Amino acid sequence: MAFKDTDTVVLALPRGGVPVAEEVATRLALPLDVIICRKLGVPGHEEYAFGAISEGGVRYIDENIVRSLGLSQNQVAQVQTEEATALKTRIELFRRRTPRRSLVGKTALIIDDGLATGATARAASKAARQLGAGRVVVAVPVGPLGSENSIPEANEVICLSQPATFSAVGRHYESFDQVSDSEVLKILERRNEPI
């Protein structure tokens, strides 16, 4: 699908997806916004997600991961409570200047720095649908084999590189420095788009 000259909003997943989304939005001359999610990480292995939450009260839980790791409902609830507090803080930070762009009837082009378990992309896709997006497309530079079939909540998944030995998103970048909240705000201000 071509996105240029369409009624599409590029939605970055903060923080790592924002620099990638800025490039996409600039090249396609599309508006840039964020869709704020928080990964629900496995206790003791927080980078490995068993789910995610997003603004608008969206929650996605991968019950297969929860079962296979033997996570209790109390553990799941505790992680969700902690991340809900962090989500609220991020929403207040990134949305304090201007409101979210309307997605009603539009294509939501969700961008992240890569796809691992897909939990945040799934939560973001559900949130975009809840916000009225008529079509949801997830696009990432890198992910595991089969990424194009890993987000059933999206109409389409575009994953440019799917290496056979995928272990973590950061291993497929020459430099994978953490993106700070202030960097996200600077990018969004530079684009002069609603946050």
Side-chain angles (χ1 to χ4, degrees):
M1 172 182 189
F3 297 101
K4 198 166 182 153
D5 302 321
T6 63
D7 203 5
T8 299
V9 177
V10 175
L11 297 173
L13 285 171
R15 294 176 300 203
V18 175
V20 180
E22 179 186 27
E23 287 295 321
V24 171
T26 299
R27 289 184 185 261
L28 297 177
L30 293 171
L32 175 65
D33 199 350
V34 292
I35 191 155
I36 305 163
C37 298
R38 290 293 296 181
K39 178 190 317 179
L40 301 176
V42 173
H45 304 280
E46 285 73 18
E47 283 303 306
Y48 185 61
F50 66 80
I53 55 176
S54 182
E55 53 190 319
V58 170
R59 176 182 118 142
Y60 163 72
I61 301 289
D62 187 323
E63 295 296 345
N64 290 328
I65 292 175
V66 170
R67 260 193 312 278
S68 70
L69 295 176
L71 298 176
S72 70
Q73 289 307 308
N74 283 343
Q75 287 174 303
V76 169
Q78 182 178 352
V79 170
Q80 185 172 332
T81 299
E82 291 167 5
E83 292 303 330
T85 300
L87 178 69
K88 183 177 182 229
T89 300
R90 284 268 169 83
I91 290 169
E92 289 169 359
L93 176 65
F94 294 144
R95 297 246 182 249
R96 71 177 156 200
R97 291 189 181 95
T98 53
R100 169 187 20 253
R101 284 187 167 274
S102 172
L103 297 179
V104 177
K106 297 180 181 177
T107 296
L109 178 54
I110 298 171
I111 307 286
D112 202 359
D113 54 7
L115 207 58
T117 65
T120 52
R122 291 186 75 170
S125 296
K126 287 174 75 171
R129 289 242 187 255
Q130 181 177 293
L131 292 166
R135 181 170 173 75
V136 176
V137 178
V138 173
V140 294
V142 64
L145 289 171
S147 289
E148 66 279 0
N149 300 314
S150 64
I151 314 292
E153 295 82 358
N155 296 92
E156 183 180 358
V157 177
I158 300 166
C159 183
L160 300 180
S161 176
Q162 298 179 44
T165 57
F166 181 89
S167 60
V169 170
R171 294 188 182 198
H172 299 280
Y173 281 79
E174 286 181 22
S175 174
F176 197 67
D177 297 332
Q178 287 287 348
V179 178
S180 69
D181 288 340
S182 63
E183 287 175 276
V184 169
L185 289 169
K186 283 179 190 171
I187 288 170
L188 294 169
E189 287 167 5
R190 181 167 61 238
R191 293 276 312 177
N192 196 25
E193 301 288 356
I195 298 173

